[in-house]
Amino acid sequence: EDQVTQSPEALRLQEGESSSLNCSYTVSGLRGLFWYRQDPGKGPEFLFTLYSAGEEKEKERLKATLTKKESFLHITAPKPEDSATYLCAVQGESNFNKFYFGSGTKLNVKP
Amino acid sequence: DADVTQTPRNRITKTGKRIMLECSQTKGHDRMYWYRQDPGLGLQLIYYSFDVKDINKGEISDGYSVSRQAQAKFSLSLESAIPNQTALYFCATSDHRDRGTDTQYFGPGTRLTVL
């Protein structure tokens, strides 16, 4: 069964303390893996789409990487404004009209 | 202006009432989606539409209906609202032409409370 699991559920960092969020997935053929940022009460904001293992994408302090089983969102020297819930989702080849979302990692960056 | 807009942003209603949530987009995407989000849970797909003449049920369509009035407009209706439909509702769009992958872009959401 296709599914997405994110860990940890919550992460508390000091400003400047780098870390990584994990997204493990099982899907029959990956069409795309997506990372979103969501602030409380707001819609998910698109960050990255990764298409195949080995691919990496960067945006400011964020870097997303992809293997055949998992993706990491690396946060370098985070700032308090990076505090949010980060969501991961996958779209498979065999059932391309379905999107599997993880429950998210809630990141809190303290000044 | 936002690419994906939703109205209303907040709505409080009573059990049994009919409610319509509206979504408009200026991204020019063919595909549109409705999701609901409950606290601590992932996004759940209610309905999706790949073009104006195409409507498909998602994983939790019971109690909901949709209408695709135009490429840019997709509305969600609750025919007879019940309290467990209290949730955040999001509309999303995608452009399938990007390597055949549907990167979804979300609206700001509608907070619905059913008393």
Short mmCIF file of all heavy atoms in Angstrom, two decimals, chain B residues 24-46:
data_model
loop_
_atom_site.label_atom_id
_atom_site.label_comp_id
_atom_site.label_asym_id
_atom_site.label_seq_id
_atom_site.Cartn_x
_atom_site.Cartn_y
_atom_site.Cartn_z
N SER B 24 -11.44 29.97 -7.00
CA SER B 24 -11.09 30.53 -8.30
C SER B 24 -9.58 30.56 -8.46
O SER B 24 -8.86 30.76 -7.48
CB SER B 24 -11.63 31.95 -8.45
OG SER B 24 -13.03 31.96 -8.44
N GLN B 25 -9.11 30.37 -9.69
CA GLN B 25 -7.67 30.39 -9.92
C GLN B 25 -7.33 31.17 -11.19
O GLN B 25 -8.10 31.15 -12.16
CB GLN B 25 -7.10 28.96 -9.97
CG GLN B 25 -7.80 28.06 -10.98
CD GLN B 25 -6.95 27.66 -12.15
OE1 GLN B 25 -5.87 28.19 -12.40
NE2 GLN B 25 -7.41 26.65 -12.89
N THR B 26 -6.19 31.82 -11.14
CA THR B 26 -5.70 32.58 -12.30
C THR B 26 -4.41 31.97 -12.85
O THR B 26 -3.71 32.61 -13.62
CB THR B 26 -5.46 34.06 -11.92
OG1 THR B 26 -4.51 34.11 -10.85
CG2 THR B 26 -6.75 34.74 -11.50
N LYS B 27 -4.10 30.74 -12.43
CA LYS B 27 -2.85 30.10 -12.86
C LYS B 27 -2.99 29.47 -14.24
O LYS B 27 -2.00 29.02 -14.82
CB LYS B 27 -2.42 29.05 -11.84
CG LYS B 27 -2.11 29.66 -10.46
CD LYS B 27 -1.55 28.66 -9.50
CE LYS B 27 -0.09 28.36 -9.76
NZ LYS B 27 0.79 29.49 -9.45
N GLY B 28 -4.21 29.34 -14.74
CA GLY B 28 -4.41 28.73 -16.05
C GLY B 28 -4.28 27.21 -16.03
O GLY B 28 -4.10 26.58 -17.07
N HIS B 29 -4.37 26.61 -14.85
CA HIS B 29 -4.25 25.15 -14.72
C HIS B 29 -5.57 24.46 -15.05
O HIS B 29 -6.65 24.98 -14.75
CB HIS B 29 -3.83 24.78 -13.30
CG HIS B 29 -2.43 25.20 -12.98
ND1 HIS B 29 -1.93 25.15 -11.70
CD2 HIS B 29 -1.42 25.65 -13.76
CE1 HIS B 29 -0.67 25.55 -11.70
NE2 HIS B 29 -0.34 25.87 -12.94
N ASP B 30 -5.46 23.26 -15.63
CA ASP B 30 -6.67 22.50 -15.94
C ASP B 30 -7.20 21.73 -14.73
O ASP B 30 -8.39 21.47 -14.63
CB ASP B 30 -6.39 21.49 -17.06
CG ASP B 30 -6.21 22.18 -18.40
OD1 ASP B 30 -6.78 23.27 -18.60
OD2 ASP B 30 -5.49 21.63 -19.25
N ARG B 31 -6.30 21.33 -13.85
CA ARG B 31 -6.68 20.40 -12.78
C ARG B 31 -6.93 21.15 -11.49
O ARG B 31 -6.14 22.00 -11.09
CB ARG B 31 -5.59 19.36 -12.60
CG ARG B 31 -5.36 18.56 -13.88
CD ARG B 31 -4.36 17.46 -13.73
NE ARG B 31 -4.37 16.62 -14.94
CZ ARG B 31 -3.84 15.42 -15.04
NH1 ARG B 31 -3.23 14.89 -14.00
NH2 ARG B 31 -3.91 14.75 -16.15
N MET B 32 -8.04 20.78 -10.84
CA MET B 32 -8.39 21.41 -9.56
C MET B 32 -8.83 20.35 -8.57
O MET B 32 -9.34 19.29 -8.95
CB MET B 32 -9.48 22.46 -9.76
CG MET B 32 -9.05 23.60 -10.69
SD MET B 32 -10.22 24.95 -10.80
CE MET B 32 -10.03 25.76 -9.21
N TYR B 33 -8.63 20.65 -7.28
CA TYR B 33 -8.83 19.67 -6.20
C TYR B 33 -9.48 20.34 -4.99
O TYR B 33 -9.26 21.52 -4.75
CB TYR B 33 -7.48 19.09 -5.75
CG TYR B 33 -6.58 18.60 -6.85
CD1 TYR B 33 -5.82 19.50 -7.59
CD2 TYR B 33 -6.46 17.25 -7.14
CE1 TYR B 33 -4.97 19.07 -8.60
CE2 TYR B 33 -5.60 16.80 -8.15
CZ TYR B 33 -4.87 17.72 -8.88
OH TYR B 33 -4.03 17.29 -9.87
N TRP B 34 -10.21 19.54 -4.22
CA TRP B 34 -10.68 19.97 -2.90
C TRP B 34 -10.18 18.98 -1.85
O TRP B 34 -10.33 17.76 -2.00
CB TRP B 34 -12.21 20.01 -2.84
CG TRP B 34 -12.78 21.28 -3.35
CD1 TRP B 34 -13.42 21.51 -4.54
CD2 TRP B 34 -12.80 22.55 -2.67
NE1 TRP B 34 -13.81 22.82 -4.65
CE2 TRP B 34 -13.44 23.48 -3.52
CE3 TRP B 34 -12.33 22.99 -1.43
CZ2 TRP B 34 -13.62 24.81 -3.16
CZ3 TRP B 34 -12.51 24.31 -1.08
CH2 TRP B 34 -13.16 25.21 -1.94
N TYR B 35 -9.58 19.54 -0.79
CA TYR B 35 -9.08 18.76 0.33
C TYR B 35 -9.71 19.27 1.63
O TYR B 35 -10.11 20.42 1.73
CB TYR B 35 -7.57 18.95 0.49
CG TYR B 35 -6.71 18.26 -0.52
CD1 TYR B 35 -6.33 18.90 -1.71
CD2 TYR B 35 -6.22 16.98 -0.29
CE1 TYR B 35 -5.51 18.27 -2.63
CE2 TYR B 35 -5.39 16.34 -1.20
CZ TYR B 35 -5.05 17.00 -2.37
OH TYR B 35 -4.22 16.37 -3.27
N ARG B 36 -9.73 18.39 2.62
CA ARG B 36 -10.02 18.85 3.97
C ARG B 36 -8.85 18.45 4.87
O ARG B 36 -8.15 17.46 4.63
CB ARG B 36 -11.33 18.30 4.52
CG ARG B 36 -11.36 16.84 4.83
CD ARG B 36 -12.67 16.44 5.50
NE ARG B 36 -12.68 16.66 6.93
CZ ARG B 36 -13.75 16.50 7.71
NH1 ARG B 36 -14.90 16.14 7.19
NH2 ARG B 36 -13.67 16.71 9.00
N GLN B 37 -8.65 19.28 5.90
CA GLN B 37 -7.58 19.02 6.86
C GLN B 37 -8.14 19.12 8.26
O GLN B 37 -8.73 20.13 8.63
CB GLN B 37 -6.44 20.02 6.67
CG GLN B 37 -5.21 19.72 7.51
CD GLN B 37 -4.08 20.69 7.23
OE1 GLN B 37 -4.28 21.90 7.13
NE2 GLN B 37 -2.86 20.18 7.07
N ASP B 38 -7.94 18.07 9.04
CA ASP B 38 -8.35 18.04 10.43
C ASP B 38 -7.10 18.12 11.29
O ASP B 38 -6.03 17.64 10.89
CB ASP B 38 -9.13 16.76 10.71
CG ASP B 38 -10.42 16.70 9.91
OD1 ASP B 38 -11.39 17.35 10.36
OD2 ASP B 38 -10.46 16.05 8.86
N PRO B 39 -7.22 18.69 12.48
CA PRO B 39 -6.04 18.87 13.35
C PRO B 39 -5.28 17.56 13.54
O PRO B 39 -5.87 16.54 13.88
CB PRO B 39 -6.66 19.36 14.66
CG PRO B 39 -7.92 20.02 14.25
CD PRO B 39 -8.44 19.22 13.09
N GLY B 40 -3.98 17.60 13.31
CA GLY B 40 -3.13 16.44 13.53
C GLY B 40 -3.20 15.39 12.43
O GLY B 40 -2.50 14.38 12.51
N LEU B 41 -4.01 15.63 11.42
CA LEU B 41 -4.14 14.66 10.33
C LEU B 41 -3.62 15.24 9.03
O LEU B 41 -3.51 16.45 8.88
CB LEU B 41 -5.61 14.25 10.15
CG LEU B 41 -6.28 13.56 11.33
CD1 LEU B 41 -7.72 13.24 10.99
CD2 LEU B 41 -5.52 12.31 11.72
N GLY B 42 -3.30 14.37 8.11
CA GLY B 42 -2.86 14.82 6.80
C GLY B 42 -4.02 15.32 5.97
O GLY B 42 -5.19 15.22 6.35
N LEU B 43 -3.71 15.87 4.82
CA LEU B 43 -4.73 16.34 3.90
C LEU B 43 -5.46 15.15 3.27
O LEU B 43 -4.83 14.19 2.84
CB LEU B 43 -4.08 17.19 2.80
CG LEU B 43 -3.59 18.55 3.27
CD1 LEU B 43 -2.50 19.08 2.36
CD2 LEU B 43 -4.76 19.53 3.31
N GLN B 44 -6.77 15.25 3.21
CA GLN B 44 -7.59 14.20 2.62
C GLN B 44 -8.32 14.74 1.39
O GLN B 44 -8.96 15.78 1.47
CB GLN B 44 -8.60 13.67 3.63
CG GLN B 44 -7.98 13.00 4.84
CD GLN B 44 -9.03 12.60 5.85
OE1 GLN B 44 -9.54 13.42 6.62
NE2 GLN B 44 -9.39 11.33 5.84
N LEU B 45 -8.22 14.00 0.29
CA LEU B 45 -8.81 14.44 -0.97
C LEU B 45 -10.30 14.16 -1.00
O LEU B 45 -10.73 13.03 -0.78
CB LEU B 45 -8.10 13.74 -2.13
CG LEU B 45 -8.51 14.14 -3.54
CD1 LEU B 45 -8.20 15.61 -3.80
CD2 LEU B 45 -7.80 13.25 -4.56
N ILE B 46 -11.09 15.19 -1.31
CA ILE B 46 -12.55 15.05 -1.35
C ILE B 46 -13.01 14.78 -2.79
O ILE B 46 -13.71 13.80 -3.06
CB ILE B 46 -13.24 16.31 -0.82
CG1 ILE B 46 -12.72 16.67 0.58
CG2 ILE B 46 -14.75 16.11 -0.77
CD1 ILE B 46 -13.23 18.01 1.10
#
